[in-house]
Amino acid sequence: MIIRGDEPEQIRLIKKLYKPGNYFMQGNEAVAYGAIFAGCRFYAGYPITPSSEIAETMARELPKLGGYYLQMEDEIGSIAAMVGASWTGLKVMTATAGPGFSLMQENLGYAVMTETPLVLVDVQRSGPSTGQATKGAQGDFFQARWGTHGDHPIVAVSPTSGQDAFWETIRAFNIAERLRTPVVMLFDGVLAHTRELVKIPDVEEVEIAYRKLPQNEGEAKLPFGDPHGDGIPPMPLFGHGYFTHVTGSTHKENGLRDVYTPEVHDRLVRRLHRKIEQNRHVYEKYEEHFTDDAEILVVSWGVTARPALGAVLKAREEGIKAGLFVPKTVHPFPGERMRALGKKVRAVLVPEMNLGQMILEVQRFVNDDVLLKGVNKIGGVPLTVKEILREIRGVA
Amino acid sequence: MAKEIYSRYPMVKYLRKEALPTALCPGCGGGTVLNAFANAIDQLRIDPKDLVVVSGIGCSAWIASPYFLADTLHTTHGRAIAFATGVKVGLPDKKVVVISGDGDLASIGGNHLIHAARRNIDITVILVNNMIYGMTGGQVAPTTPFGAKTTTTPYRNIEHPLQISETVAAAGASYVARWTTAHVYQLIESIKKALQVRGFSLVEVVSQCPVQFGRRNRMKEPAEMLRWFLKNSVPISKAKKMSPEELEGKFVIGEFVNRERPEFVSEINKLIEEVQEHFGLKGE
Ligand SMILES: Cc1ncc(C[n+]2csc(CCOP(=O)(O)OP(=O)(O)O)c2C)c(N)n1
Ligand code: SF4
């Protein structure tokens, strides 16, 4: 097995293949290398712009590391194959864009229900539908949150640069492994295709997490139990003679289906939620710039956080007390921190490459006496420093 | 009676007792398929620890998951083969078996079925063709005979059934056979062969759903359906000499292909070896 037991061998291979240092690479390549450093050794996908270079990089690099690249017949098959591979112990990833993400939604819900670690990168492009297929956007914020059906928690992270993409991909894997859950990474077409400096570290500086395995027969027999009280069941991998039964239907702690008892469904689905709520420390992450004395707060995510920072810096030069808050894990939203910051400021601006999505989350955590305004742009072209600065000046 | 089955039926050792009795209707062909599968495993002396059984959604998907005592993955409707693909790549030394229905594997899952056959991945698929959507209440399936009545073809079915075995054989599988639940011994032999073939294998079992299909097509009793299968089964050797008109409404049974072709998981591992060799990455 590739993820466990042969770490020294994997470290040897990575050291031999990827010298630490500065590289000039696309955001998509940074995602692929992040995945490789995180221990991903199974990639199943279906090509779609603007995500395809992730697949291409994985197809080229994975065999060198003894890993598997599978080009499946479609996105539905891709995420299905990932779930199957994850139950054998492999760390798995796929990358796609809007239409493919839509096709993956049913099995994303399956992964939530069966507590299967996987990383799904959505390189957001302009929609609805095939929209502007080659252009970036930030329109899938809620597709990540509510795309699949039923009551379900989800964790989604979103990087702000190529360098950040490398580390956020590793973090996405670590969250998936620690919480035994799928993690969505909301990337975007602009960063995906931007070439910039990415520093590749020494592999031994990278912290890598592994899923919890059963420590005894008792734990192995309860693949959906909660023996440690943290809501995270140890995962009995296939092929070890545990006779594990995995189903997307409502199941008891032993894995057997029970779709008739209300309490069983209630217990399972509430635990899935509790698992995410109770382990906020595993995934909560945000960045702050000049928030200490800010009167105007810019809240932004992903690609837009960069011109937003530029605008805040310029505003500061002009003597405007602006600050920036960037959720890096966007779901669950860092609401506590948002609420605290919202109390100290007069106005909150939310720039996004959409017609207003994350702003709805922000709204839940700021009081009515704060001026809340979206800065929105669609059409496939990112917001500029100037455009955001203009809005900051407007409320200054 | 039930007690007797649990204590005297030798194959019960392969079943997950806490999941019994099964949810299948009395007289459902699914029981025959489970029995045949358990016998094949027993005769080949395959340790269930070396098995992973994957299924989709439908009555037939329940045959092995949860009832068969192995690692079992009960997936979304139509996607079992794609899930199984990931399992097989991760566990190349295990036997990966998919047991599911015709609607599941050949309608919504048709794409995965033909592509797995094309890839020739070493998975054994036991496809239970009951010619109907049993679980959802007897709607027309892509395998429903021309002219048959179902809840969504209340007047008669005007579509032609998909010939699954022929399609999968053409797509490139290593082994393909079709039997009915009235051919139990041949069925067991074919499942055994399929499990031993290195490559994609399909055993299609024409099976009775007396409740949703038989009842609406003047075959309320399971035995009537079995008699219908026997009367209309044509061995493949004989079928080759018959015209399409003569074959209308018949079940062609037997082995469609049994051949060696490069297998996907072996190929992917061979490729990894080559690449590692090429880049000088082999361990000391
Ligand atoms: C995506 C999706 N569409 C539809 C269904 C509803 N559904 C459940 S089982 C089934 C048909 C099963 O037919 P088949 O595979 O032939 O199995 P049978 O019950 O006849 O054995 C359908 C359509 C579903 N579960 N998921
Ligand atoms: S509905 Fe038909 S296929 Fe389903 S269990 Fe009953 S007899 Fe079998």
Side-chain angles (χ1 to χ4, degrees), chain A residues 73 107 239 244-247, chain B residues 71-72 74 76 112 119 276 281:
Chain A
E73 47 276 8
N107 282 339
T244 305
H245 181 54
V246 180
T247 176
Chain B
D71 285 328
T72 40
H74 180 229
T76 46
H112 307 301
R119 242 172 234 133
Q276 291 195 322
L281 295 166

Side-chain angles (χ1 to χ4, degrees), chain B residues 130-141:
Chain B
N130 58 12
M131 299 165 281
I132 197 91
Y133 283 24
M135 179 165 279
T136 41
Q139 298 83 7
V140 70

